[in-house]
Amino acid sequence: MKRAILAAVALAAVAGAAKAEDGYDLWLRYRPLEKAVIARDVPYASAIMAQGASPTILAAREELQRGLSGLLGKRVPLATALKSGTILIGTPKDLAIAKLALPLEKAGAEGYVIKTVGRTTVIAGNSDVGALHGAFAYLRLVQTRGMLNSLDIVSAPKIGLRMLNHWDNVDRTLERGYSGISIFNWWELPGHLDPQYKDYARANASLGLNGTVLTNPSGVSAATSLETAWIKKAAALAGVMRPYGIKVYLSVRFSAPMEVGGLKTADPLDPQVRQWWKDKADEIYTLIPDFGGFLVKANSEGQPGPQDYGRSHADGANMMAEALAPHHGIVLWRAFVYSPSPEDRVKQSYNEFKPLDGKFLPNVIVQSKNGPLDFQPREPFSPVFGGLPNTSTGMEFQITKEYLGFEIHLVYLAPLWQEVLRSDTFAKGEGSTVARVVDGSLFQRPLSSIAGASNIGTARNWSGSIFDQANWYAFGRLAWDPDLDSKTIAEEWLKQTFTADPKFVEPVTEMMLGSRETAVDYMTPLGLAHQMATSHHYGPGPWVDDAGRPDWNPVYYARADENGIGVDRTATGANAVSQYAAPVAKAFSDPKATPENLLLWFHHLPWSYAMPSGGNLWESLVHHYAHGVNKVAEMQTRWQAMKPFVDAERFQITADFLAMQKENAELWRDGSIAYFQSVSHLPLPDGVPAPAHPLSFYKSLKLPFAPGSPGRTASPFALTGK
Ligand code: GCU
């Protein structure tokens, strides 16, 4: 009995501040540090002196005071005179900072210097926003238990535009969102500003993001948001974002001159249409002087575009660019162009944009998804990166996990993004990585950008699951520095979000780092893609339904039959390899030189194909599925062992979701194996258990909402397998 009580007391002590938390505070929790840590590691933080009184400097001061007061467990006062132990924040406009000769020339317009000078901690930027970024970086250091005794840090973002893309509709439904509805309450705007907007701005500024596209590029929202009443709503949001260095952008619909302007055409060469866009831009800038620009999805998935009038993407983009140029606005023209055609879908984007390279005005960025298909668990990098040397080419990642288990599956995306950013395009010889294309350095482009399709909604924890917050965090950190390592980012996030105890951080970092490969294993191993049922993209669907109709996408992308599996994209097939630089094309053309994890993306191979890693293709495929499920089971066990370190609420949601993920992974494994076995007629390799049910069972799995309905915004909760 006594021992039990002691154990309970010990457990409570370990848990420390592990009081129930709902996740709203994200990584900006600022819970008290241990006294010993404060004494040892956090000197020169006894008061805060901010130089200047701009809204941005005041925001930085407020954040420092909030953060340090929380972390140090006592109110840290503001100071008006510099004393020993003070934090000094500002820009060289202020004498106290100017005379310190800080290495600010390396900090650029938005970066910062953090330096211990005598017994003062100085946080400085060339601009107020730079200083604000420095304040957040300093708080990150304190939260992650950095040693703060002799700081000497300079940091500047490598990519110019770092933004979230909200796929939020004006009725607040979300295109591919799994965390409630849009946080932007258009109905109440501009009259009421929900306090959450400021917390949203703080979270993004803490990562150094500097832009947000408020509306969905697909559908009518992109027209509605150009109506005057809606611009005023966006202006109100811009007012909240401004002190935090975040500009607002809008998605615009190509046909808006007709829908909003009442014109008969949206032809980009029509003078009236061109004038309409100019007037619209002028109107927007009157209301939002620092408006960022337009995001456009044109001639893709049924959206209107310049091709409707026999014009090119460049004609369309340049028309808008001309309207925005006098105000220094940017056009982000999406390269995701998809219209069903007999040609291999993965070739479309490059085919349409390559001939236009060099034809875009300087304030146009062509924004491409990371892969040539559609945010799959694994794809090769899109050949648009490296293929357009005379065009500013921006990166588009998807933070919301449309193809990776929605908010339910624990999948940390930084390894996926890092894999893409580090891929070598060979566009200018070895070392021409995607990251160097995106940051503009490879082709010396004037503009550079990176965007993430947001996973934020009204869920109290913002992202639907606690671990999906890590994806928002990781996106922002990589946007600032695409060379950061996903392990470092995971550790940072865990320490700030949960605890810095290594007994928690080490095993959970490892779990996060393996989680993406695990999902690949049970969903689309060996370079398979789009095996998700077309209607919802959550569960598997690689089969022909009872009426004999294939679920088009999955069957098309696997091309599995009695003889083999995979898509021949070499010269004997779709020849998508020809879109890559010669050394890359050469490697992808040869199954022996193609990375095994992309094998079936580029090659159609017999089931008996001998795999370099051992066994034949069929055996290897089946083993990947089985391995994926085993890894999810391991994640579950590992998380259970973390219970003493985590508050009850955040522990439970994660444990519940892992249990659902395990069940889903089994359905993925069994359904996929059952289907591929039905076409290959091969026996299961030794030791692999037979799928629990006949194929018909997996085919009849349904999600509890009608595909394509607004219900797509809701969580599917689970595949209804039982
Ligand atoms: C995917 C996604 C759509 C989205 C589109 C896009 O196809 O399923 O919902 O609109 O990407 O990126 O535009």
Side-chain angles (χ1 to χ4, degrees), residues 410-707:
L410 193 160
V411 182
Y412 173 53
L413 295 172
L416 188 169
W417 298 332
Q418 186 181 301
E419 179 177 297
V420 176
L421 290 165
R422 293 185 181 179
S423 295
D424 200 337
T425 69
F426 280 87
K428 284 176 82 179
E430 201 176 342
S432 306
T433 59
V434 171
R436 298 287 80 81
V437 176
V438 173
D439 71 17
S441 60
L442 187 69
F443 300 125
Q444 279 106 47
R445 299 299 313 163
L447 293 177
S448 58
S449 76
I450 184 164
S454 137
N455 67 354
I456 297 164
T458 49
R460 183 69 192 156
N461 64 25
W462 300 82
S463 301
S465 86
I466 302 298
F467 276 80
D468 277 337
Q469 296 177 355
N471 291 326
W472 176 9
Y473 182 87
F475 168 74
R477 297 289 287 134
L478 283 171
W480 184 272
D481 183 358
D483 300 322
L484 271 181
D485 185 60
S486 39
K487 180 164 185 257
T488 311
I489 300 173
E491 287 166 350
E492 272 182 10
W493 177 78
L494 284 167
K495 287 179 184 175
Q496 296 171 92
T497 305
F498 293 103
T499 163
D501 192 325
K503 290 203 247 3
F504 173 83
V505 175
E506 280 167 26
V508 183
T509 300
E510 196 181 59
M511 174 174 99
M512 288 171 74
L513 289 176
S515 62
R516 181 273 185 133
E517 204 58 47
T518 294
V520 170
D521 275 340
Y522 63 74
M523 289 180 177
T524 53
L526 296 176
L528 283 177
H530 218 319
Q531 297 303 289
M532 300 78 193
T534 312
S535 54
H536 51 69
H537 295 173
Y538 183 71
W543 38 67
V544 179
D545 71 13
D546 291 335
R549 287 177 306 235
D551 188 333
W552 181 79
N553 269 340
V555 173
Y556 169 84
Y557 288 112
R559 311 263 175 104
D561 59 23
E562 213 170 14
N563 303 316
I565 182 169
V567 190
D568 182 3
R569 295 198 162 102
T570 69
T572 54
N575 205 15
V577 293
S578 65
Q579 298 183 331
Y580 292 93
V584 182
K586 187 162 174 246
F588 288 160
S589 296
D590 174 4
K592 295 269 177 299
T594 304
E596 203 169 287
N597 60 23
L598 287 173
L599 197 60
L600 302 178
W601 181 280
F602 288 110
H603 306 281
H604 184 82
L605 297 168
W607 294 108
S608 60
Y609 178 80
M611 298 292 283
S613 60
N616 67 31
L617 176 55
W618 167 242
E619 289 159 353
S620 176
L621 190 69
V622 170
H623 279 300
H624 274 282
Y625 286 114
H627 186 67
V629 174
N630 294 342
K631 292 303 260 186
V632 180
E634 272 178 44
M635 285 161 73
Q636 267 189 294
T637 313
R638 189 169 288 214
W639 185 249
Q640 285 302 327
M642 295 300 117
K643 196 165 184 170
F645 301 98
V646 186
D647 57 282
E649 195 171 332
R650 293 186 304 163
F651 176 81
Q652 197 57 46
I653 185 176
T654 306
D656 289 348
F657 283 0
L658 281 168
M660 291 161 75
Q661 183 177 358
K662 167 81 181 337
E663 211 178 277
N664 293 173
E666 284 168 358
L667 292 167
W668 265 101
R669 175 195 63 193
D670 289 359
S672 307
I673 292 178
Y675 172 68
F676 291 131
Q677 204 177 17
S678 78
V679 292
S680 71
H681 308 300
L682 289 166
L684 284 173
D686 287 346
V688 175
H693 306 281
L695 182 59
S696 55
F697 168 85
Y698 305 102
K699 281 200 231 171
S700 64
L701 289 173
K702 292 276 185 300
L703 289 175
F705 58 81

Side-chain angles (χ1 to χ4, degrees), residues 400-419:
T400 187
K401 302 203 313 299
E402 173 182 355
Y403 292 100
L404 283 136
F406 297 5
E407 87 281 33
I408 304 296
H409 296 204
L410 193 160
V411 182
Y412 173 53
L413 295 172
L416 188 169
W417 298 332
Q418 186 181 301
E419 179 177 297

